[in-house]
């Protein structure tokens, strides 16, 4: 619980710091490197942590974690200082309401957040990987470890490639394609009974998801005024930050009621339905390039 509270403060602050640390013209590139580093850590962290725990025990393992946290804290002090651009003059509820109204009043932002939210909520097959490893694919804990790493590996490789080939030429169109690929990967994974095919679909699922994350993050940076960054990031955290945990709960509940494979098929199908609805609701935004989105005139039109 305390970890969740800390993340609630950390993420809006980090979002604002990033905006002042990176020039706007290289937002997409920086977002790729930022997400890639996170995904690399998500692969190496469990691997190294498991080995250290196995050979040295739990006390030394947590001691090493604290050392790394202290290193990160020291790095924060080397960040460039900048004056605050927003000084609250109203209550926290009024301030948060203003952030919510801004997000819900911006078609591009609410569309990107909604796509990510519902795709993660319904497509959370990761929570059921232990069941697939044990009861469906019969690969045991070793296979489960490989399956968990494969999704992150797909995300890392796609993120690194996007540092060279940006998907921001037509971000809205590419976001819809990425979420569609994510939903199809989930459905194919649910139908697969071959371990190596399942790894392939987990790889593509992680890759498509990383494209969605990059586009959403860049759109948020471009469309959010400096004075609203903390509040918009807080709204984003409510949308996306909690959707993984809530999606895991949904996956477990659906698996209990429908069975493991039908629940994952249902989640992937719901993701595709949401993509279809979003496409017809926001067809005018699909041809826009990142440059067109970032111009003041288009910003105002998108917000209407």
């Amino acid at each position: 619980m305390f970890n969740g509270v800390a993340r609630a403060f950390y993420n809006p602050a980090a979002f604002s710091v990033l905006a002042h640390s990176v020039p706007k013209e290289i937002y997409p590139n920086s977002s790729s490197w930022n997400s890639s580093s996170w995904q690399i850590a998500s692969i190496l962290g469990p691997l190294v942590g498991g080995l250290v725990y196995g050979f040295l025990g739990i006390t030394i393992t947590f001691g090493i974690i604290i050392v790394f946290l202290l290193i990160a804290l020291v790095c924060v002090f080397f960040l460039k200082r900048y004056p605050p651009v927003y000084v609250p003059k109203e209550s926290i509820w009024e301030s948060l309401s203003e952030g919510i109204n801004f997000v819900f009043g911006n078609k591009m932002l609410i569309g990107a957040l909604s796509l990510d939210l519902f795709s993660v909520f319904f497509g959370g097959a990761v929570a059921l990987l232990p069941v697939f490893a044990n009861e469906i694919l019969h690969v045991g804990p070793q296979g489960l470890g490989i399956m968990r790493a494969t999704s992150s590996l797909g995300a890392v490789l796609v993120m690194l490639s996007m540092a060279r080939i940006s998907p921001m030429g037509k971000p809205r169109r590419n976001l819809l394609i990425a979420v569609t690929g994510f939903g199809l990967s989930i459905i194919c994974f649910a139908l697969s009974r071959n371990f190596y095919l399942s790894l392939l679909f987990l790889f593509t699922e992680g890759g498509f998801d990383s494209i969605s994350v990059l586009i959403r993050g860049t759109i948020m940076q471009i469309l959010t005024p400096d004075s609203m960054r903390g509040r918009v990031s807080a709204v984003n955290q409510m949308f996306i930050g909690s959707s993984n945990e809530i999606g895991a709960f949904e996956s477990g509940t659906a698996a209990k009621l429908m069975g493991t494979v039908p629940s994952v098929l249902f989640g992937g199908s719901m993701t595709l339905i949401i993509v279809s609805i979003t496409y017809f609701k926001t067809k005018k935004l699909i041809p826009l390039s990142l440059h067109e989105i970032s111009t003041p005139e288009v910003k105002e039109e998108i917000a209407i």
Side-chain angles (χ1 to χ4, degrees):
M1 184 186 72
F2 284 119
N3 189 8
V5 170
R7 283 164 49 198
F9 281 94
Y10 170 82
N11 288 319
F15 179 75
S16 300
V17 168
L18 179 64
H20 289 269
S21 303
V22 178
K24 286 188 177 181
E25 60 269 17
I26 59 171
Y27 274 164
N29 194 291
S30 68
S31 183
S32 292
W33 285 107
N34 184 33
S35 298
S36 296
S37 64
W38 188 91
Q39 292 290 354
I40 291 171
S42 71
I43 296 174
L44 296 180
L47 175 63
V48 176
L51 292 174
V52 173
Y53 172 67
F55 287 107
L56 301 178
I58 190 69
T59 303
I60 294 179
T61 302
F62 274 98
I64 293 174
I65 291 172
I66 292 172
V67 169
F68 276 113
L69 288 173
L70 290 175
I71 292 173
L73 184 61
V74 170
C75 290
V76 169
F77 286 95
F78 287 93
L79 291 172
K80 180 182 177 182
R81 293 179 178 271
Y82 59 89
V85 294
Y86 170 70
V87 179
K89 299 180 178 62
E90 66 273 356
S91 70
I92 185 173
W93 300 113
E94 292 173 331
S95 180
L96 187 58
S97 296
E98 190 175 351
I100 293 173
N101 291 334
F102 174 81
V103 171
F104 278 84
N106 190 296
K107 295 178 183 178
M108 185 69 79
L109 265 183
I110 191 62
L113 290 178
S114 299
L115 270 175
D116 228 2
L117 169 68
F118 288 110
S119 63
V120 172
F121 180 80
F122 288 110
V126 175
L128 299 176
L129 285 184
V131 183
F132 275 90
N134 186 47
E135 299 180 7
I136 297 174
L137 298 174
H138 306 290
V139 292
Q142 293 83 2
L144 174 61
I146 296 173
M147 291 166 68
R148 287 191 180 278
T150 300
S151 179
S152 295
L153 179 62
V156 169
L157 293 181
V158 172
M159 283 286 186
L160 291 175
S161 67
M162 285 191 297
R164 300 287 298 176
I165 307 171
S166 174
M168 301 307 297
K170 286 185 169 50
R172 188 65 180 170
R173 180 201 66 186
N174 293 337
L175 180 62
L176 290 170
I177 292 173
V179 179
T180 300
F182 177 85
L184 290 174
S185 297
I186 293 295
I187 292 173
C188 292
F189 172 77
L191 295 173
S192 172
R193 294 298 178 270
N194 181 279
F195 178 60
Y196 298 103
L197 268 180
S198 297
L199 291 181
L200 173 64
F201 296 131
L202 286 174
F203 181 90
T204 57
E205 177 262 335
F208 283 120
D209 187 44
S210 67
I211 298 173
S212 171
V213 169
L214 169 64
I215 295 175
R216 173 175 53 83
T218 304
I219 288 175
M220 282 186 59
Q221 292 284 8
I222 292 293
L223 295 182
T224 305
D226 287 342
S227 61
M228 297 285 291
R229 291 193 182 279
R231 286 170 287 175
V232 170
S233 180
V235 175
N236 174 65
Q237 182 68 11
M238 290 190 293
F239 266 76
I240 308 303
S242 59
S243 61
N244 288 303
E245 289 80 4
I246 298 175
F249 173 77
E250 181 275 335
S251 297
T253 303
K256 176 69 174 177
L257 297 175
M258 305 166 59
T260 302
V261 173
S263 70
V264 178
L265 288 173
F266 168 76
S269 301
M270 286 299 298
T271 300
L272 296 181
I273 291 172
I274 291 163
V275 170
S276 301
I277 294 173
T278 304
Y279 170 78
F280 288 109
K281 287 280 187 180
T282 60
K283 291 178 69 173
K284 292 182 179 180
L285 304 178
I286 292 175
L288 296 181
S289 67
L290 181 63
H291 174 72
E292 291 170 323
I293 291 172
S294 61
T295 57
E297 296 81 5
V298 177
K299 277 186 179 182
E300 292 179 6
E301 185 180 344
I302 289 173
I304 296 176

